[in-house]
């Protein structure tokens, strides 16, 4: 009986933490100045929130429906591996297409990355 209520509390806390993380993602999209920082907000907190919801779904299915859903574990692993890679690729394409990169000291921070890409292409 106590384990049931503890698992219920864990599921509720995971979902609440996911909601807070999604609100942080939306706030980041609204407040942050350029594409690279917005990608960071979406890549980190957005995928974290989805993973928390998947973990709470896995616990729910295992506890109440007595089903070990391997699909949830695969989805969690897939998001854990693919989300940083996709955010990195989008940020590199943003730099390559010379979008304006936000900098507090007005330096061209993307120039170093573009020079490295040119060296690799030679």
């Amino acid at each position: 009986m106590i384990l049931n209520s503890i698992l219920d509390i864990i599921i509720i806390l995971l979902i609440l933490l996911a909601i807070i993380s999604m609100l942080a993602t939306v706030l980041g999209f609204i407040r942050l100045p350029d594409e690279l920082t917005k990608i960071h907000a979406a890549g980190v907190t957005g995928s974290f929130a989805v993973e928390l919801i998947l973990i709470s779904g896995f616990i729910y299915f295992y506890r109440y429906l007595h089903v070990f859903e391997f699909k949830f574990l695969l989805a969690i692993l897939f998001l854990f591996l693919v989300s940083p890679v996709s955010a990195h690729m989008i940020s590199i394409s943003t730099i390559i297409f010379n979008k304006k990169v936000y900098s507090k000291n007005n330096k061209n921070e993307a120039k170093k990355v573009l020079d490295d890409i040119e060296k690799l292409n030679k």
Side-chain angles (χ1 to χ4, degrees):
M1 187 68 182
I2 294 175
L3 184 63
N4 291 341
S5 61
I6 290 174
L7 285 176
D8 289 340
I9 291 171
I10 289 173
I11 291 171
I12 291 169
L13 287 177
L14 287 174
I15 291 174
L16 287 176
L17 191 59
I19 290 170
I20 292 169
S21 180
M22 278 297 183
L23 289 175
T25 302
V26 170
L27 209 71
F29 256 72
I30 293 171
R31 298 282 318 248
L32 295 174
D34 66 340
E35 289 93 359
L36 293 176
T37 53
K38 289 181 182 190
I39 289 169
H40 178 72
V44 173
T45 58
S47 63
F48 178 66
V50 173
E51 287 174 3
L52 287 177
I53 291 173
L54 286 173
I55 290 170
S56 63
F58 175 77
I59 294 171
Y60 177 81
F61 270 80
Y62 186 70
R63 171 64 192 108
Y64 293 107
L65 301 178
H66 306 291
V67 175
F68 185 82
E69 279 293 327
F70 192 64
K71 295 175 205 169
F72 277 116
L73 295 178
L74 285 177
I76 293 167
L77 180 69
F78 180 76
L79 275 176
F80 185 74
L81 294 175
V82 171
S83 178
V85 174
S86 62
H88 177 72
M89 298 308 282
I90 292 170
S91 64
I92 290 296
S93 68
T94 301
I95 291 172
I96 288 174
F97 288 113
N98 292 323
K99 296 283 186 179
K100 184 176 181 332
V101 178
Y102 176 75
S103 177
K104 288 183 180 179
N105 53 10
N106 293 326
K107 290 183 180 178
N108 189 2
E109 302 289 336
K111 185 169 179 7
K112 294 181 275 187
V113 176
L114 290 172
D115 291 341
D116 289 342
I117 291 172
E118 283 184 28
K119 287 178 187 175
L120 288 174
N121 288 335
K122 289 184 180 181

